[in-house]
């Protein structure tokens, strides 16, 4: 049994006592936070603090840090998981639901698992083929695949012990990108898809055999279909219009943070946004729409709700509450309280009581135009609909849908009471496009009902909008704030109770977001998209060591010790939300998206850098335009492409999905077979025959032919002038 399993078992034995009181002695609690030689779950310890008690690597010797070993993960998409190490074996969750077992001291492969994934799931994967890690318990490694299957693998051999399909409605746009969570003798998993046509839920399975223990739906179903599944949902139904868009699903998916709290024997679930985005479309008469954007505490044994706290009621802005949680013990008003430290998308830093679900603190970290504060007595935010309700015209909303915080894990150092996190201060222009006020349900396709332009692009993009929209945007009170500071992105050291920043350092760009690790030696460790690994002083943010890796890093590092040697490990690979837009400053753009595990120790060597990519070549000339195509049909094709294809195919240089302005003759000739018949389904290109007609596919193809010819002519001229072919053009990254 792992350390986490032992803690869970102890909590079960003491559950009546724990449920009857608050936190035990605070010094003991603080000493218990943090991982030791083992790092037994993706977040490191029972508190999910991403804090290590190891001190062998410290400020005095970190200059000697170098590469111990590396492992090629065999893919080139996205790496968001943090490895797990127990008893000298490293387990890692890779994209699509792959799993790896390695000798943690040498990197020798012990086994590798690649699930048989239904690649049609890519059509409902808003944010790449990500996976955030594995869970260990009872000699099993549990990992979830993108298409919704949960696997339990034999930890010694990698063979499948059991597997279960977690998806209740396969005809809807469900995926899984999160890590399973172990809670005693069960494992819990949620799902993604709130931007599509899903209804959120989490399911607990018995670790022994994969049988279902319980399931909790995060939002109600259509009341016309009969009683809700639980009293909690009957209560939630009162906060929804009876004529809500139940056909679309409603959202509320739990796609990332699920945390087991052994002190109160409860599973805390962070829930996602509503679908479609506009409240007026989703729930016409309004309402808080429970339990969207909430933390929901469930009894571990029964799955019944114990308490909830909704961080963003009446959500119209994609301000999810699924971001990682840290369990802690803080002195509040002279008493020690067990709390959750939570920084969701909505821009506030919450300190929430684990016993009651009541907030002790809620401080804004960034501009928050949707609310101007939180009333701690009621727990409700002070909503500002006059500046964020975009039914009657475009509005600028802070923070943007990528969130002030997102999946990128923070680290909490209990000895310093500092929370180290990447914080993005950026907004959206939000509006409802014509015809989207009452959008139809389309299976497994985006159903956001709103258009977004990030403030990073807004000033430059404004001239491309219709003149009435331009005028309306320029008159918005937030527009001056956009001009003054379109965005800011920093790594911050934050006091949880006050939200005050002790120190901050800027990131390379707004997309340069990353997870963090803190250690008892006073170190903060993180990577960046430019391919550097930083070791910083936890008290000042000063760089103590910088290592060039040549590979983009988003995932959080971890540390462990084997045979008396401390190691630091991190996975490399760009992707996730906005994966089609590879920033020019990133290592992924310059050197390719190498997916590797890099493991460091004192006395190690330099990292071998991937070779730089060759310069872009001129796009091939486009084939002859399709017969009978008119400007109106090509314009229709553009609209269909933007609505259905652009979330993957950004048509930007060196993007993860092919730039369809550079198609070869063979791809052009097979266009219908690819789009309608699934010719490239094994490669991840889904079929669209249930959504698009052959005539519509022709229109999309005609639009791409026109784009390819224009690009060919532009790049031919750039080459003649001796200019780089990837000279920047406006990239409106709105499907994030």
């Amino acid at each position: 049994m792992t350390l986490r399993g032992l803690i869970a078992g102890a909590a079960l034995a003491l559950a009546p006592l724990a449920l009857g009181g608050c936190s035990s002695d605070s010094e003991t609690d603080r000493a218990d936070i943090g991982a030791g030689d083992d790092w037994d779950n993706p977040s490191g310890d029972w508190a999910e603090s991403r804090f290590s008690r190891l001190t062998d690597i410290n400020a005095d010797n970190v200059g000697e840090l170098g590469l111990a070993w590396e492992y090629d993960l065999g893919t080139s998409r996205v790496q968001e998981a943090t490895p797990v190490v127990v008893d000298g074996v490293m387990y890692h969750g890779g994209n699509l639901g792959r799993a790896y077992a390695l000798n943690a001291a040498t990197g020798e492969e012990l086994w590798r698992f690649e699930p048989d994934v239904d690649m049609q799931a890519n059509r409902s994967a808003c944010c790449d083929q990500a996976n955030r890690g594995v869970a260990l318990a009872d000699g099993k490694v549990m990992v979830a695949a993108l298409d919704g299957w949960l696997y339990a693998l034999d930890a010694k051999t990698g063979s499948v012990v059991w597997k279960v399909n977690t998806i209740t409605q396969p005809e809807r746009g469900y995926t899984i990108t999160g890590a399973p969570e172990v809670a005693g003798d069960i494992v819990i998993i949620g799902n993604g898809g709130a931007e599509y046509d899903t209804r959120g839920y989490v399911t607990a399975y018995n670790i022994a055999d994969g049988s279902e223990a319980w399931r909790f739906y995060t939002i109600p179903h259509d009341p016309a279909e009969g009683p809700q599944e639980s009293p909690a949902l009957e209560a939630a139904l009162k906060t929804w219009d009876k004529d809500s868009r139940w056909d679309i699903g409603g959202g509320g998916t739990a796609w990332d943070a699920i945390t087991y709290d052994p002190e109160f024997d409860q599973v805390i679930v962070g829930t996602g946004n509503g679908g479609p985005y506009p409240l007026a479309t989703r729930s016409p008469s309004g309402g808080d729409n429970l339990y969207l954007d909430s933390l929901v505490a469930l009894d571990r044994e029964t799955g019944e709700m114990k308490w909830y706290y909704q961080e963003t009621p009446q959500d119209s802005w994609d301000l999810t509450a699924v971001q990682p949680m840290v369990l802690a013990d803080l002195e509040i008003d002279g008493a020690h309280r067990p709390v959750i430290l939570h920084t969701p998308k909505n821009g506030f830093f919450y300190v929430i009581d684990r016993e009651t679900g009541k907030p002790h603190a809620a401080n804004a970290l960034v501009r928050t135009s949707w609310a101007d504060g939180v009333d701690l007595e009621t727990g409700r935010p002070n909503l500002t609909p006059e500046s964020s309700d975009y039914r009657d015209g475009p509005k600028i909303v802070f923070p943007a849908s990528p969130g002030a915080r997102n999946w990128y894990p923070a680290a909490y150092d209990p000895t310093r009471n500092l929370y180290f996190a990447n914080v993005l201060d950026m907004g959206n222009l939000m509006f409802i496009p014509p015809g989207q006020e009452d959008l139809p349900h389309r299976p497994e396709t985006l159903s956001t009902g709103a258009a977004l332009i990030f403030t990073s692009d807004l000033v430059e993009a404004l001239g491309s909008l219709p003149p009435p929209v331009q005028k309306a945007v320029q008159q918005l009170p937030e527009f001056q704030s956009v001009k003054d500071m379109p965005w800011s992105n920093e790594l911050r050291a934050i006091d949880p109770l006050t939200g005050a920043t002790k120190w901050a350092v800027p990131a390379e760009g707004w997309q340069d977001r990353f997870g963090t690790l803190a250690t008892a030696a006073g170190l903060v460790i993180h990577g960046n998209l430019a391919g550097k690994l930083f070791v910083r002083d936890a008290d000042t943010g000063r760089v103590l060591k910088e290592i060039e890796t040549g590979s983009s890093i988003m995932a959080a590092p971890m540390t462990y010790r084997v045979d008396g040697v401390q190691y630091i490990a991190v996975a490399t690979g760009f992707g996730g939300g906005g994966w089609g837009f590879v920033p020019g400053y990133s290592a992924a753009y310059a050197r390719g998206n190498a997916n590797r595990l890099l493991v460091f120790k004192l006395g190690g060597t330099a990292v071998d850098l991937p070779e730089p990519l060759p310069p872009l070549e001129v796009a091939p000339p486009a084939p002859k335009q399709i017969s009978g195509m008119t400007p109106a049909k090509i314009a229709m094709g553009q609209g269909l492409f933007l609505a259905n294809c652009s979330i993957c195919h950004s048509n930007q240089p060196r993007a993860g999905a092919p730039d369809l302005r550079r198609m070869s003759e063979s791809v052009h000739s097979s266009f219908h077979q690819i789009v309608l018949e699934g010719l490239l389904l094994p490669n991840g290109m889904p079929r669209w025959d249930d959504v698009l007609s052959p005539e519509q596919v022709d229109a999309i193809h005609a639009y791409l032919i026109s784009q390819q010819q224009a690009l060919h002519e532009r790049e031919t001229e750039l080459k003649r002038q001796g200019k780089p072919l990837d000279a920047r053009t406006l990239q409106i990254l709105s499907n994030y």
Side-chain angles (χ1 to χ4, degrees):
M1 180 178 287
T2 67
L3 175 63
R4 189 175 179 84
L6 287 170
I7 291 173
L12 292 179
L14 296 174
L17 176 63
L19 292 172
C22 61
S23 177
S24 58
D25 178 77
S26 63
E27 293 302 321
T28 301
D29 288 345
R30 280 196 285 269
D32 286 344
I33 290 181
D37 285 4
D38 286 346
W39 185 278
D40 71 0
N41 71 86
S43 298
D45 65 342
W46 71 271
E48 308 207 347
S49 66
R50 296 188 182 259
F51 174 73
S52 170
R53 299 192 301 272
L54 300 182
T55 59
D56 298 351
I57 299 172
N58 53 58
D60 294 331
N61 59 25
V62 71
E64 303 171 24
L65 194 67
L67 186 71
W69 55 266
E70 70 171 84
Y71 176 78
D72 184 353
L73 293 165
T75 61
S76 59
R77 283 286 284 266
V78 54
Q79 293 292 327
E80 297 184 0
T82 300
V84 172
V85 172
V86 173
D87 296 333
V89 179
M90 176 181 288
Y91 305 94
H92 181 66
N95 51 40
L96 285 175
R98 295 177 171 92
Y100 310 82
L102 312 170
N103 182 311
T106 67
E108 175 192 2
E109 181 180 303
L110 304 178
W111 54 258
R112 175 188 295 221
F113 169 73
E114 296 196 11
D116 183 13
V117 176
D118 179 358
M119 298 300 271
Q120 188 68 13
N122 281 287
R123 202 171 96 182
S124 304
C126 78
C127 305
D128 209 351
Q129 300 172 346
N131 182 280
R132 297 186 193 90
V134 301
L136 271 62
D138 298 336
K140 300 179 181 70
V141 177
M142 283 152 286
V143 65
L146 186 72
D147 61 354
W149 284 85
L150 178 65
Y151 293 85
L153 312 174
D154 185 287
K156 292 183 179 180
T157 66
S159 60
V160 176
V161 178
W162 55 257
K163 64 178 183 177
V164 60
N165 188 349
T166 71
I167 304 304
T168 58
Q169 295 178 289
E171 71 278 8
R172 291 183 176 265
Y174 286 104
T175 54
I176 296 182
T177 57
E181 178 77 357
V182 167
D185 58 358
I186 60 174
V187 59
I188 304 99
I189 192 68
N191 43 63
E195 275 76 25
Y196 292 80
D197 59 344
T198 64
R199 176 193 180 204
Y201 59 90
V202 294
T203 312
Y205 297 94
N206 291 301
I207 293 172
D209 58 9
S211 59
E212 183 178 317
W214 49 258
R215 175 172 287 136
F216 180 85
Y217 284 93
T218 61
I219 62 171
H221 62 67
D222 186 345
E225 297 177 357
Q228 303 296 322
E229 291 88 347
S230 69
L233 291 175
E234 292 291 352
L237 186 61
K238 299 174 183 177
T239 68
W240 289 74
D241 189 327
K242 65 179 179 62
D243 295 322
S244 292
R245 290 300 307 271
W246 307 112
D247 59 325
I248 291 178
T253 51
W255 53 264
D256 192 9
I258 302 171
T259 300
Y260 175 56
D261 177 3
E263 184 171 1
F264 297 100
D265 197 26
Q266 61 189 1
V267 177
I268 306 166
V269 177
T271 68
N273 57 278
Y277 286 171
L279 176 65
T281 303
R282 182 177 69 247
S283 181
S285 64
D288 285 353
N289 287 189
L290 292 171
Y291 300 98
L292 297 178
D293 305 326
S294 301
L295 298 187
V296 181
L298 306 175
D299 181 87
R300 186 205 65 84
E301 186 173 357
T302 66
E304 295 179 359
M305 190 176 75
K306 299 171 68 173
W307 56 258
Y308 74 89
Y309 177 65
Q310 189 173 43
E311 293 173 333
T312 311
Q314 304 178 28
D315 179 28
S316 289
W317 317 288
D318 187 19
L319 298 181
T320 64
V322 301
Q323 287 60 48
M325 296 169 251
V326 174
L327 308 184
D329 174 84
L330 297 182
E331 184 174 328
I332 299 172
D333 297 330
H336 292 289
R337 293 302 304 170
V339 298
I340 303 163
L341 309 182
H342 197 224
T343 49
K345 276 189 179 185
N346 74 13
F348 289 91
F349 192 141
Y350 295 88
V351 179
I352 298 170
D353 197 287
R354 284 192 270 138
E355 186 175 23
T356 66
K358 304 298 183 184
H360 292 293
N363 294 290
L365 297 177
V366 297
R367 291 168 285 184
T368 58
S369 66
W370 69 276
D372 60 13
V374 175
D375 184 332
L376 294 181
E377 290 297 320
T378 65
R380 291 186 63 82
N382 305 317
L383 298 174
T384 56
E386 68 279 358
S387 63
S388 57
D389 183 350
Y390 49 92
R391 286 175 291 182
D392 300 324
K395 295 290 188 298
I396 296 172
V397 181
F398 289 95
S401 58
R405 295 271 302 125
N406 210 302
W407 68 265
Y408 312 91
Y412 173 63
D413 182 339
T415 67
R416 290 170 169 77
N417 191 33
L418 285 176
Y419 182 91
F420 304 100
N422 186 278
V423 178
L424 175 64
D425 189 350
M426 184 174 77
N428 298 317
L429 175 68
M430 302 190 77
F431 56 95
I432 301 176
Q436 292 293 299
E437 299 86 352
D438 188 28
L439 72 168
H441 171 223
R442 300 192 308 155
E444 298 179 273
T445 52
L446 281 169
S447 300
T448 60
L452 316 175
I453 298 176
F454 298 158
T455 56
S456 57
D457 298 321
L458 182 54
V459 172
E460 186 176 0
L462 194 60
S464 66
L465 300 177
V469 177
Q470 293 183 43
K471 183 177 180 180
V473 171
Q474 290 169 334
Q475 292 175 345
L476 293 172
E478 293 82 10
F479 189 61
Q480 185 60 50
S481 179
V482 174
K483 292 191 293 184
D484 292 341
M485 187 178 75
W487 60 270
S488 169
N489 187 20
E490 299 174 320
L491 171 64
R492 297 184 192 175
I494 306 169
D495 182 302
L497 280 174
T498 67
T501 297
K502 181 174 182 180
W503 56 259
V505 293
E508 293 281 334
W510 79 259
Q511 283 179 272
D512 184 24
R513 309 178 76 184
F514 40 78
T516 55
L517 163 69
T519 78
L523 307 180
V524 175
I525 305 166
H526 68 93
N528 73 0
L529 291 189
K532 295 180 179 179
L533 183 73
F534 294 94
V535 182
R536 298 184 183 273
D537 184 292
D539 294 316
T540 66
R542 181 172 63 91
V543 175
L544 301 174
K545 178 70 173 181
E546 179 181 319
I547 299 176
E548 179 66 60
T549 74
S551 298
S552 292
I553 301 171
M554 305 186 306
M558 52 81 74
T559 186
Y560 60 95
R561 186 163 52 194
V562 177
D563 296 331
V565 178
Q566 184 181 353
Y567 299 87
I568 295 171
V570 68
T572 75
F574 172 77
W579 63 284
F581 295 77
V582 187
Y585 57 79
S586 69
Y589 192 91
R591 297 177 181 272
N593 201 20
N595 287 182
R596 301 187 284 173
L597 282 172
L598 300 178
V599 181
F600 302 88
K601 68 176 183 178
L602 297 178
T605 62
V607 179
D608 288 333
L609 306 183
E611 290 295 320
L613 294 176
L616 293 177
E617 297 182 358
V618 174
K624 183 180 178 181
Q625 186 56 273
I626 298 172
S627 176
M629 281 296 151
T630 64
K633 290 182 180 179
I634 292 174
M636 180 183 73
Q638 178 182 18
L640 290 167
F641 177 84
L642 294 174
N644 298 285
C645 316
S646 63
I647 193 168
C648 293
H649 293 283
S650 64
N651 286 354
Q652 296 294 333
R654 296 176 178 170
D659 183 344
L660 299 182
R661 304 169 304 170
R662 300 177 182 276
M663 286 188 285
S664 66
E665 183 178 344
S666 63
V667 173
H668 279 290
S669 64
S670 304
F671 197 82
H672 269 248
Q673 292 94 322
I674 292 169
V675 178
L676 294 177
E677 300 174 20
L679 180 65
L680 298 182
L681 182 61
N683 297 345
M685 171 61 197
R687 302 182 314 276
W688 289 85
D689 53 314
D690 60 328
V691 172
L692 298 173
S693 68
E695 293 74 21
Q696 289 174 318
V697 172
D698 275 340
I700 293 172
H701 193 190
Y703 164 68
L704 292 171
I705 289 171
S706 69
Q707 290 291 294
Q708 181 164 338
Q709 187 58 35
L711 181 65
H712 172 75
E713 293 171 1
R714 175 178 179 270
E715 291 186 339
T716 299
E717 178 60 20
L718 287 171
K719 184 176 182 179
R720 187 189 68 78
Q721 297 176 15
K723 296 180 179 180
L725 303 187
D726 52 358
R728 186 186 183 278
T729 57
L730 176 64
Q731 301 179 16
I732 301 179
L733 199 172
S734 60
N735 285 329
Y736 192 87

